[in-house]
Amino acid sequence: MKSRASSAALLLAALWGLGLVEPASAQMVQIPGTSVAMTPPPGFKLSRTGLEDPDSGSSVSVAEMPADGFAKLAATFASPKTASAGFAGQGIKITRIEQIAVEGGQIPLAIGDQSQSGQQLTKYIAVMGGPMLHTNAVLITFNLTSTSRVRQGDVEAALKSVRLARVPTTEEKVAGLPFKFNAVAPFHTADVFSNGTALLTTYQGSDPAGAKPALMISRGSTQDGPDDMPKTNERMLRAMGGFADAEITEQKPVPFAGGDGHFMSAVAGGKTMLQFILVRSNGTFVRLVARGDTSAMEEARAVVAEIADSVAFSN
């Protein structure tokens, strides 16, 4: 039995060497800095930005963005013309778009070429994920040199292997926060950040000018104690952009987050900030800060106070 097994192993090795038998399929790899896992095309290995084939100089890049950017990105793949226009800044010309089946449905695969550093690259570009799948939007680009052995079938096989990590919904993120609160109109929960901060806004999208009322609630730790709350409150307020020299217009002890907290308001550069804080004896604090144009904040002041009344530690 042992000699038969050895002979079989030698035969298998010989067939591999002749290219008549394929070795075991490549393993899934996690693309660094992304939520994307995939099986690399033949000859490719991990790089800092995705995958690379050192022998041919080919690469696979993975770009990830929030789910709400998927619709705009996918619209670029409506036709070769729109795709070429969308990627014109990179010198990419798309000649055709094909639909391929992957887990979760059909995705568009844009196919074209690009002149780069004196060589011609064959490009395969696919957009995947999005809010319908509860994942980020992902753009995967195959940059294949003329010496690459990878063909379209290999590209499609790699794309079919892609697995995207599910992104929790805003509601799920809120449920995992170390504090509780009630959003009161016109404020709504816009996002929850990885450091355990909830962002509530009175608008959709972004407001770079910071004119419209927005509110953040967060938990953290400090070396200060409950007796230091007025100083702690002012220090945190003045650390906010544009408020280092703000005029403090009001400050007082208030009930907040189930304890004896502290409130402070300040004005600077036509904007008003309202801040509530509670520091526990162990240095843990919860903080609510709202800001916006002074006139808008005056209208929102009662609602901010109502939201502040709902804040409580989860444990």
Side-chain angles (χ1 to χ4, degrees):
M1 291 291 291
K2 186 174 182 180
S3 61
R4 288 184 181 179
S6 299
S7 298
L10 289 171
L11 177 60
L12 188 59
L15 291 174
W16 276 350
L18 293 172
L20 300 178
V21 174
E22 291 292 331
S25 59
Q27 297 295 310
M28 294 277 286
V29 296
Q30 187 73 36
I31 304 301
T34 76
S35 65
V36 180
M38 64 186 295
T39 300
F44 280 72
K45 63 180 183 179
L46 279 174
S47 70
R48 287 185 298 176
T49 57
L51 300 168
E52 64 179 2
D53 175 8
D55 292 336
S56 70
S58 301
S59 65
V60 178
S61 61
V62 178
E64 193 168 14
M65 57 210 76
D68 57 10
F70 177 83
K72 183 178 180 180
L73 187 60
T76 303
F77 289 73
S79 69
K81 182 178 180 179
T82 58
S84 293
F87 295 109
Q90 302 172 50
I92 299 171
K93 181 179 180 181
I94 301 301
T95 55
R96 68 185 192 274
I97 293 178
E98 298 182 6
Q99 298 293 320
I100 65 171
V102 300
E103 183 176 330
Q106 299 272 331
I107 65 168
L109 177 63
I111 305 167
D113 54 64
Q114 176 189 34
S115 295
Q116 187 177 71
S117 302
Q119 64 178 335
Q120 196 76 4
L121 299 177
T122 298
K123 308 284 286 195
Y124 293 92
I125 310 174
V127 59
M128 307 180 73
M132 293 295 292
L133 298 178
H134 300 291
T135 72
N136 286 329
V138 175
L139 190 71
I140 303 179
T141 304
F142 294 75
N143 311 289
L144 306 180
T145 65
S146 59
T147 58
S148 175
R149 294 181 296 172
V150 170
R151 297 296 179 260
Q152 184 172 338
D154 301 310
V155 171
E156 293 184 12
L159 290 172
K160 290 177 181 180
S161 77
V162 169
R163 297 295 178 267
L164 306 178
R166 182 181 180 278
V167 177
T169 65
T170 301
E171 291 75 16
E172 290 170 336
K173 291 179 182 179
V174 168
L177 286 169
F179 51 83
K180 301 176 182 178
F181 66 92
N182 295 327
V184 180
F187 287 90
H188 68 277
T189 306
D191 204 352
V192 176
F193 303 112
S194 57
N195 66 345
T197 297
L199 171 66
L200 286 72
T201 64
T202 55
Y203 51 87
Q204 299 293 332
S206 61
D207 176 33
K212 301 174 184 178
L215 181 157
M216 289 193 303
I217 310 170
S218 59
R219 193 182 80 164
S221 59
T222 176
Q223 295 183 346
D224 297 341
D227 293 341
D228 301 314
M229 260 190 287
K231 293 181 180 179
T232 305
N233 202 353
E234 182 172 355
R235 185 180 71 250
M236 290 184 178
L237 185 150
R238 293 194 183 281
M240 299 291 287
F243 278 78
D245 299 315
E247 175 192 356
I248 305 300
T249 56
E250 184 181 359
Q251 58 176 316
K252 61 183 178 181
V254 293
F256 179 60
D260 296 325
H262 190 267
F263 167 77
M264 183 171 288
S265 65
V267 175
K271 291 181 170 53
T272 290
M273 183 178 296
L274 309 176
Q275 183 164 276
F276 297 78
I277 189 171
L278 174 75
V279 179
R280 285 173 159 177
S281 58
N282 63 1
T284 302
F285 70 82
V286 64
R287 171 193 184 200
L288 181 154
V289 55
R291 66 181 293 176
D293 279 354
T294 295
S295 58
M297 286 301 298
E298 285 302 317
E299 294 180 8
R301 190 181 183 104
V303 176
V304 171
E306 187 176 351
I307 296 172
D309 286 342
S310 73
V311 174
F313 281 98
S314 296
N315 50 53

